[in-house]
Amino acid sequence: MAVQAIGTEARALYNLGQAEGLTIWSPNVNIFRDPRWGRGQETPGEDPTTASKYAVAFVRGLQGSSPTVLQTSACCKHASAYDLEAWNGAIRYNFNARVTAQDMADTFNPPFKSCVEDGRASCVMCAYTTINGVPACASSDLLSRTFKGDWGLNGYVSSDCDAVALMHDAQFYRPSPEDTVAVALKAGLDLNCGNYTQVHGMAAVRQGRMTEQDVDRALRNLFAVRMRLGHFDGDPRGSALYGGLGAKDVCSPTHKNLALQAATSGIVLLKNDAGILPLRRGVVASAAVIGHNANDPGALNGNYFGPPCETTTPLQGLQGYVQNVRFLAGCDSAACGFAATGQAVGLAASSDYVFLFMGLSQAQEQEGLDRTSLLLPGKQQSLITAVANAAKRPVILVLLTGGPVDVTFAKVNPKIGAILWAGYPGQAGGLAIARVLFGDHNPSGRLPVTWYPEEFTKVPMTDMRMRADPATGYPGRSYRFYRGNAVYKFGYGLSYSKFSRQLVVSGTGNKAPNTNLLAGLAATPTADGGASYVVEEIGADGCEQLKFPAVVEVQNHGPLDGKHSVLMFLRWPNATGGRPVSQLIGFRTQHLKAGEKASLRFDVSPCEHFSRAREDGKKVIDGGSHFLRVGQDEHEISFES
């Protein structure tokens, strides 16, 4: 719904003459590999399954439902293995990411594959990154064989801005500008963001570095997308599908309500000691609102954003619930080089309830800027602790950040009663937070990334390996491979209600999995003495026969109505041989009234969900046991080996 609204408003603004084009270079579906990455806030998180589903929904929402006419053109970026801005001398413009075929196959590439194959994206953007010595935008293996060949991209490939110039000027990949332009276009690049191909392209043709046919191929791909957008059909307001979109469709009541819904759904309750939340209207006699993020409209926006229709800050949101509210910024900025600790302590001591709105800003994390620490900046931690010590009752801490932060101090401090993470929640963020605090919305959000401890910053950002290496102490990355302690785990999130879940795989009308199907196939021995089956050799028909349903029976035991997010994981019996510790295979969200039950169906495809990537990147299914897991409930499924 949210992305459909974006696509609708983009086309409406174009029809009104307020937009120059209809190509939207979004979504960013890179994997949030390292918690310090400044652009992680743009992504759906660290999990390939989540990122893939997000990619498909985002692209379909932007491009519309017509198979032939595009509402807008979506562009999935930045392919691939891009997740570093600037760290310890390495910068994104010349960083050579050393990535294994295994990690490319099961971590970095899946979201882009889903973008193209399932979302039918009309564009993929190649990254600045050099991958194993070859710039992404000069890789024929990536651009032509994979995007256009294996995945069937019906559209164009764009470079990131000035990526072609940087191949020559920063990466020194080819000796001349003409050679650089030629290698990019011949590899499958169709559009250079910048003017480098315009300046040097003609000379490249004259010198024989590339041909007119190379240029024509790119032009065909570009103009085909423009035709699908209706650029040559006259007045866009005459379009049968989208011509009626106009001013009424921008900032409409429906879209503003959707912004509120998205913000409330994304809030994650991390701590709620003794059920301090939700609060009740009329019970809070006075409130101290402390924090640099409490009344800053800019703090609600992320790295990329459009102008909001209207903005409600957290302070304004709370003022709608509490009459006597006093505000103090506390810090001079998110950097918090100066903290008005004395004033904050005095305000806290004289107030009935204390709300702290702390966290980060675009001055700590954004495009071009990675963090060096996972702790709250400057004097934030000491300010929070001093305020908590002075308050009459446990304080409520709300974090506005894009990336994860190490708030162990707050997690273990009994004087900090509740912690919420709101991300950068957009124009309705302040109202959304207030609705959660006062129980008008029962939180159901889950963390899309692992929250690592500060010690994780000892791991070089330039080490691209996902899998742990116990022999050297390398801890691995993401919940799938990380072997260290976490402040909060991927998928964590509390509710005001108690929910129970029961996993049912067969029986009551469910088709049982056909675990004998692999018995007739040739098995490949694995290093640990087992056997595996190559998914390609199982074939499309075999993969279809392996599919089976799993049902999760959910009940809301109250006291409040609310949504519940059910996450289904696959667990291998051992995490050796490069196998993940676990892997999310699906998620569903269901609204339940207090006392209500529901059955949620998951369609399980072993070829997709039970497979893992070998070192060579081939997907295989292990013989033997696999475990479906929902919460603490597990069900074993064994394939003959």
Side-chain angles (χ1 to χ4, degrees), residues 197-332:
T197 56
Q198 292 172 289
V199 173
H200 301 289
M202 185 61 73
V205 173
R206 287 172 177 165
Q207 294 173 18
R209 302 292 196 273
M210 64 181 185
T211 66
E212 286 190 29
Q213 286 73 29
D214 295 318
V215 178
D216 288 344
R217 185 217 69 237
L219 289 172
R220 280 195 298 270
N221 291 334
L222 294 170
F223 275 86
V225 171
R226 294 192 64 188
M227 290 175 183
R228 292 165 65 194
L229 287 167
H231 280 181
F232 307 103
D233 297 340
D235 190 332
R237 292 170 295 183
S239 167
L241 276 177
Y242 306 117
L245 298 175
K248 70 181 186 306
D249 302 295
V250 180
C251 292
S252 66
T254 299
H255 288 179
K256 287 190 282 189
N257 287 336
L258 191 59
L260 175 60
Q261 179 185 331
T264 51
S265 297
I267 293 172
V268 183
L269 180 63
L270 298 174
K271 179 180 179 180
N272 193 23
D273 284 1
I276 187 173
L277 296 178
L279 302 171
R280 287 185 296 160
R281 283 178 184 259
V283 172
V284 182
S286 63
V289 175
I290 299 169
H292 57 280
N293 280 337
N295 200 36
D296 178 7
L300 301 174
N301 300 320
N303 193 10
Y304 283 92
F305 59 92
C309 306
E310 57 194 19
T311 299
T312 304
T313 67
L315 175 62
Q316 292 168 335
L318 284 174
Q319 286 172 332
Y321 284 81
V322 182
Q323 288 189 341
N324 184 7
V325 177
R326 291 179 291 168
F327 166 64
L328 178 71
C331 291
D332 54 347

Side-chain angles (χ1 to χ4, degrees), residues 375-420:
L375 300 175
L376 290 173
K379 299 180 180 179
Q380 284 196 47
Q381 180 171 326
S382 61
L383 174 66
I384 294 167
T385 302
V387 167
N389 288 335
K392 296 177 181 179
R393 53 171 53 88
V395 302
I396 297 161
L397 173 63
V398 181
L399 298 168
L400 273 66
T401 75
V405 285
D406 182 352
V407 288
T408 302
F409 80 98
K411 179 181 179 181
V412 301
N413 187 344
K415 294 189 176 182
I416 299 174
I419 306 174
L420 291 88

Side-chain angles (χ1 to χ4, degrees), residues 442-446 493-495 497-501 552-556 561-567 587-592 600 630:
N442 192 347
S444 60
R446 303 294 188 91
L494 303 174
S495 170
S497 294
K498 180 181 178 182
F499 291 88
S500 62
R501 299 167 297 272
V552 180
E553 297 175 349
V554 187
Q555 182 172 3
N556 181 358
D561 300 348
K563 289 183 180 179
H564 184 59
S565 301
V566 177
L567 281 61
F587 52 88
R588 293 280 306 277
T589 300
Q590 179 70 40
H591 187 277
L592 295 170
L600 305 182
V630 175

Side-chain angles (χ1 to χ4, degrees), residues 305-366:
F305 59 92
C309 306
E310 57 194 19
T311 299
T312 304
T313 67
L315 175 62
Q316 292 168 335
L318 284 174
Q319 286 172 332
Y321 284 81
V322 182
Q323 288 189 341
N324 184 7
V325 177
R326 291 179 291 168
F327 166 64
L328 178 71
C331 291
D332 54 347
S333 66
C336 204
F338 169 79
T341 306
Q343 288 178 269
V345 164
L347 181 59
S350 61
S351 300
D352 192 20
Y353 280 82
V354 177
F355 302 88
L356 288 143
F357 291 90
M358 312 301 286
L360 307 176
S361 75
Q362 301 306 300
Q364 286 78 44
E365 53 175 359
Q366 64 168 321

